[in-house]
């Protein structure tokens, strides 16, 4: 039976899926997950291999500053069958909250000084009001793959410290669902060469209108980033493959945002088959620049190009999106913000 794919456009829709969420905590309670250095016991052979269950909590930085707000989401494993993973996730998010609190304290002081300096420089003659900059720092946690083998998380952080706009960066954490070990690309058997080759193919086959929006030296950045341990890019797993994300300004202007590519598991040379996903369903986030991705739409083992182009209907004063899948052009369903291919 053919798989049904839900194709999400990043230009029109973003989704967040969590099992639960609690009320914001105060700063004094921020380091909620346990920080005990406890040796994880290997229980992988003692329980049935199942997907972990999880919930989210929101930690808000408690401050009376009128110039700063900050919050961070934490994940917690809630079922009893993943003790190792639970300890590992608690430990990792304890570090994240600790870093968040320290950074927030610095931002509170920096925002206060910045705005006081702005106020003291007010031009009383012209009656010009000083500009107030409200700093913020927010991190959200999204589970990108959750099964009995892999628990993968993408942390998305937005920061504003004055100026024309803020900044946004992502990072991934990949856990072994049974042992709780944080897995590197080397642990998974992924080689930089296979990732580099596949991303090059996507860029070469993308429409000229799409690559025309990239910096002239984008290929140099791709070449240098996709080498060695690939520490210059953000990496995580989803049900389709390895997600490789380039940060703002690395391949294109700020307006293009973070640019990411997904390398299917079948194209990851050396990938440990023990970590292949169990799910048949997956969602795809397509580039609003028009860069291509590849999917096996017919479930026949052949990957086909898929990408989105947009034009402006001047009469209707709206943007019209067209989904290209192989040689097909599919209409955009504006009501659901999704394309369905079955």
């Amino acid at each position: 039976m053919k798989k049904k794919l839900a194709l999400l456009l990043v230009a029109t829709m973003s989704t967040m899926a969590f099992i639960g969420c609690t009320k914001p905590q105060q700063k004094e309670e921020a380091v909620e997950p346990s920080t005990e250095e406890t040796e994880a016991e290997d229980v992988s052979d003692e329980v049935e291999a199942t997907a972990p269950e999880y919930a989210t909590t929101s930690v808000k930085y408690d401050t009376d500053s009128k110039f700063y707000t900050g919050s961070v989401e934490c994940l917690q494993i809630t079922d009893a069958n993943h003790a190792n993973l639970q300890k590992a996730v608690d430990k990792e998010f304890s570090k994240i909250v600790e870093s968040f609190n320290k950074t927030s304290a610095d931002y509170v002081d920096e925002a206060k000084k910045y705005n006081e300096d702005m106020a003291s420089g007010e031009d009383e003659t012209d009656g010009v009001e000083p500009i107030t900059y409200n700093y913020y720092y927010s991190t959200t946690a999204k589970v990108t793959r959750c099964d009995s083998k892999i628990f993968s998380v993408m942390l998305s952080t937005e920061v504003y410290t004055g100026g024309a706009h803020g900044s946004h960066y992502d990072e991934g954490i990949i856990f072994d669902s049974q042992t709780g070990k944080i897995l590197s690309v080397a642990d998974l058997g992924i080689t930089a060469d296979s990732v580099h080759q596949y991303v090059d193919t996507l860029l070469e086959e993308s429409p000229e209108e799409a690559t025309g929006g990239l910096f002239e030296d984008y290929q140099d950045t791709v070449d240098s980033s996709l080498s060695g341990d690939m520490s210059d890019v953000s990496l995580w797993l989803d049900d389709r493959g390895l997600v490789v994300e380039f940060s703002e300004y690395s391949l294109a202007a700020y307006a293009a945002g973070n640019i990411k590519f997904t390398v299917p598991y079948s194209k990851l040379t050396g990938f440990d088959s023990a970590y292949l996903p169990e799910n048949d369903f997956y969602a795809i986030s397509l580039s609003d620049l028009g860069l291509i991705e590849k999917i096996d739409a017919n479930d026949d083992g052949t990957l086909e190009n898929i990408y989105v182009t947009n034009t402006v209907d001047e009469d209707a004063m709206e943007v019209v999106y067209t989904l290209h899948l192989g040689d097909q052009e599919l209409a955009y369903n504006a009501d659901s913000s999704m394309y369905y291919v079955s």
Side-chain angles (χ1 to χ4, degrees), residues 73-314:
E73 284 184 337
C74 298
L75 294 174
Q76 295 178 325
I77 303 302
T78 58
D79 67 281
N81 292 336
H82 296 86
N84 291 337
L85 180 61
Q86 183 181 56
K87 294 174 184 176
V89 170
D90 283 354
K91 180 178 179 181
E92 193 63 23
F93 276 93
S94 289
K95 295 178 183 178
I96 292 169
V97 170
E98 182 179 4
S99 176
F100 162 74
N101 283 333
K102 290 179 179 178
T103 302
S104 293
D106 291 339
Y107 280 160
V108 167
D109 294 339
E110 184 179 325
K112 179 181 178 182
K113 183 178 185 307
Y114 189 92
N115 282 287
E116 286 178 348
D117 290 345
M118 290 291 293
S120 65
E122 179 182 355
D123 189 338
E124 297 181 357
T125 302
D126 296 334
V128 178
E129 291 292 330
I131 299 174
T132 299
Y133 288 107
N134 296 307
Y135 284 33
Y136 67 81
Y137 172 26
S138 172
T139 296
T140 57
K142 178 182 179 181
V143 176
T144 59
R145 179 177 158 187
C146 179
D147 55 38
S148 68
K149 303 173 182 180
I150 291 291
F151 186 71
S152 182
V153 178
M154 187 266 282
L155 300 173
S156 183
T157 299
E158 293 187 38
V159 178
Y160 178 75
T161 56
H165 54 70
S167 61
H168 170 223
Y169 59 90
D170 300 327
E171 61 180 310
I173 309 174
I174 305 170
F175 297 91
D176 182 306
S177 293
Q178 300 305 316
T179 67
K181 179 182 178 180
I182 295 179
L183 302 170
S184 66
V185 288
D187 293 329
L188 295 164
I190 298 172
T191 63
D193 287 345
S194 63
V195 176
H196 191 179
Q197 181 178 356
Y198 187 80
V199 170
D200 278 349
T201 299
L202 295 181
L203 289 167
E204 289 168 3
E205 296 182 12
S206 290
E208 185 176 346
E209 293 81 1
T211 55
L214 304 178
F215 292 141
E216 290 185 2
D217 62 347
Y218 77 85
Q219 189 62 58
D220 293 337
T221 303
V222 171
D223 293 343
S224 62
S225 299
L226 300 184
S227 62
D229 61 0
M230 298 184 287
S231 58
D232 290 340
V233 292
S234 300
L235 304 167
W236 59 87
L237 296 179
D238 62 16
D239 289 318
R240 194 160 66 98
L242 176 72
V243 181
V244 181
E245 184 178 88
F246 291 82
S247 61
E248 294 172 343
Y249 293 115
S250 58
L251 296 185
Y254 174 81
N258 299 323
I259 297 175
K260 60 179 178 287
F261 306 91
T262 302
V263 186
Y265 291 107
S266 62
K267 296 297 182 180
L268 291 170
T269 303
F271 185 81
D272 189 342
S273 60
Y275 290 112
L276 288 174
E278 304 159 342
N279 301 327
D280 291 330
F281 178 89
Y282 55 80
I284 300 175
S285 177
L286 296 175
S287 166
D288 54 0
L289 284 179
L291 298 171
I292 72 163
E293 291 281 357
K294 289 178 178 285
I295 62 170
D296 182 3
N298 298 315
D299 204 17
D300 60 0
T302 301
L303 295 177
E304 296 185 79
N305 290 350
I306 182 170
Y307 62 99
V308 170
T309 57
N310 63 80
T311 56
V312 177
D313 184 336
E314 296 182 356

Side-chain angles (χ1 to χ4, degrees), residues 34-53:
S34 171
T35 57
E36 288 187 314
E37 296 289 339
T38 306
E39 290 295 326
E41 300 176 5
D42 186 0
V43 297
S44 57
D45 295 331
E46 301 175 10
V47 297
E48 180 183 358
T50 58
E53 298 175 6

Side-chain angles (χ1 to χ4, degrees), residues 310-322:
N310 63 80
T311 56
V312 177
D313 184 336
E314 296 182 356
D315 293 332
M317 294 297 292
E318 64 181 12
V319 178
V320 178
Y321 295 94
T322 302

